[in-house]
Amino acid sequence: MQATSYWKDQLESLHHESYMWCLSCCNYDKDMAKDVLQDVYLKIYEDRASFKEKSSLKTWLFSVIKYTSIDHMRKQPKHIEKLSVSHSQIPESEIEDNEKENAFTKILEFLSAQQREVLTLAFYHGLTLEEIAPLLKISIGSVRTHYERGKENFKKLLLKYNLHTEIL
Amino acid sequence: MNVEDKKLKEIFKRGMDGLNEGTPDFRSMMEKVVEGPGRRNWFSLKIAASVILLLATGVFLIVRNKGTNSENYSLTEWNEPTRELMTFSSSSSTISTWSSPTDFLLSNDIQQIKN
């Protein structure tokens, strides 16, 4: 797919959502998200990633973003370590220190990577569970499980750290 | 989606919106993508360097092989490397009948020529 004006318009219409998904894939590292998105656009421009119309453009684009961000993360292992930390491993005092700074990011970090991805795609980007499954290359059953557990954990974390009042 | 799910979705959306301190400008990103010849030049440079390295290695191997060609001798002209250590006397018959330990490996015809 060459970056003709048609495709430029298509990409531009999805740019904000692409960046937000990219941010999520890059563990909310803004600099890395910009680099990844730039790389994704370059892949599309150079035809190294081409849209085969097997899914919607948005689903395809999100898939390219996901796997490009994985490549970037492999080059910078510190991001993988950060992502793999579960909420049970982080002391409560650490939450209290930073909750005002970035409460929502902290909650997301305590969810498992897949729960966070499924919730982001479903709640923020409005994708259906059926669309999420091929994007994350997991079965629909797994998506449903991550969705349900993610919701439960998200709810618990909001209540546990009393952060729902700050967010709302 | 039930009421509780809708509430969670709303919280989630607001939280995500709060993270967005500014989406980078699409046009400036695309300009960098289109203007990216530097990246491609670097790629071409790496390819060119690899080709030059391969050619240089090939030339070096060819030149080295040419310089180390061994000389060939006819079997009739061949002498034992230790022959010069022996003292020859024209009256002595022992030397003329002397044979090398590996002579038995040669056919009779060749032995006659040699002797």
Side-chain angles (χ1 to χ4, degrees):
Chain A
M1 185 202 302
Q2 285 293 324
T4 59
S5 61
Y6 171 75
W7 288 113
K8 267 189 179 176
D9 290 346
Q10 294 289 306
L11 291 177
E12 189 168 12
S13 68
L14 291 168
H15 180 63
H16 172 68
E17 280 204 76
S18 300
Y19 175 68
M20 292 306 284
W21 171 237
C22 205
L23 202 58
S24 175
C25 292
C26 297
N27 202 29
Y28 310 101
D29 182 325
K30 293 178 182 71
D31 292 333
M32 191 182 184
K34 283 176 192 170
D35 286 347
V36 168
L37 196 56
Q38 182 96 44
D39 203 11
V40 167
Y41 288 158
L42 188 69
K43 278 183 181 176
I44 295 168
Y45 181 75
E46 291 182 341
D47 225 9
R48 284 185 284 136
S50 51
F51 179 49
K52 307 276 191 234
E53 299 187 25
K54 288 178 184 170
S55 58
S56 71
L57 179 68
K58 183 174 163 178
T59 312
W60 170 77
L61 184 59
F62 276 27
S63 182
V64 177
I65 290 169
K66 162 105 179 124
Y67 292 99
T68 305
S69 69
I70 289 172
D71 289 343
H72 276 249
M73 291 236 193
R74 283 196 186 121
K75 291 172 194 166
Q76 296 178 41
K78 63 175 181 158
H79 291 280
I80 295 170
E81 284 167 26
K82 200 178 172 189
L83 274 173
S84 64
V85 175
S86 73
H87 69 275
S88 58
Q89 292 172 285
I90 296 178
E92 203 164 318
S93 58
E94 198 181 314
I95 311 288
E96 287 163 3
D97 291 343
N98 298 320
E99 63 184 355
K100 285 179 185 172
E101 189 186 314
N102 209 340
F104 184 71
T105 313
K106 281 287 162 198
I107 286 186
L108 293 182
E109 280 180 8
F110 302 155
L111 296 173
S112 76
Q114 285 180 313
Q115 287 171 9
R116 185 174 54 237
E117 285 172 347
V118 171
L119 288 189
T120 305
L121 291 168
F123 283 169
Y124 190 72
H125 297 288
L127 297 186
T128 63
L129 301 189
E130 287 75 16
E131 286 174 314
I132 294 170
L135 196 159
L136 298 180
K137 292 187 179 168
I138 53 177
S139 68
I140 182 74
S142 298
V143 173
R144 205 162 276 134
T145 306
H146 292 308
Y147 178 68
E148 292 302 330
R149 288 184 187 161
K151 275 194 310 185
E152 280 306 305
N153 288 336
F154 183 61
K155 201 163 62 183
K156 280 181 195 167
L157 285 161
L158 284 172
L159 296 170
K160 185 177 178 183
Y161 301 112
N162 201 25
L163 297 177
H164 58 293
T165 50
E166 286 184 33
I167 290 166
L168 282 173
Chain B
M1 195 177 277
N2 59 36
V3 177
E4 194 182 70
D5 283 4
K6 281 183 181 170
K7 186 86 174 166
L8 284 176
K9 185 176 177 177
E10 183 62 23
I11 293 171
F12 200 95
K13 281 191 91 167
R14 286 190 189 198
M16 284 293 286
D17 285 334
L19 290 178
N20 184 22
E21 292 168 359
T23 304
D25 181 53
F26 175 77
R27 287 174 198 278
S28 63
M29 283 187 95
M30 281 309 286
E31 273 170 22
K32 281 182 192 168
V33 166
V34 176
E35 286 169 4
R39 202 183 283 237
R40 266 168 277 161
N41 279 350
W42 177 238
F43 180 74
S44 309
L45 198 67
K46 280 197 280 188
I47 296 285
S50 307
V51 170
I52 290 168
L53 195 68
L54 278 172
L55 283 174
T57 310
V59 168
F60 172 75
L61 288 174
I62 290 166
V63 168
R64 201 180 67 164
N65 281 345
K66 274 187 178 172
T68 55
N69 274 352
S70 57
E71 290 177 50
N72 295 317
Y73 294 96
S74 164
L75 192 60
T76 51
E77 294 169 7
W78 183 83
N79 286 318
E80 297 87 346
T82 53
R83 180 174 283 261
E84 62 187 67
L85 298 173
M86 294 187 221
T87 50
F88 286 90
S89 165
S90 55
S91 59
S92 170
S93 61
T94 49
I95 286 296
S96 62
T97 58
W98 180 86
S99 63
S100 71
T102 55
D103 269 0
F104 72 96
L105 296 171
L106 303 172
S107 66
N108 287 336
D109 294 343
I110 294 172
Q111 280 191 43
Q112 280 171 7
I113 294 166
K114 187 172 174 284
N115 292 329

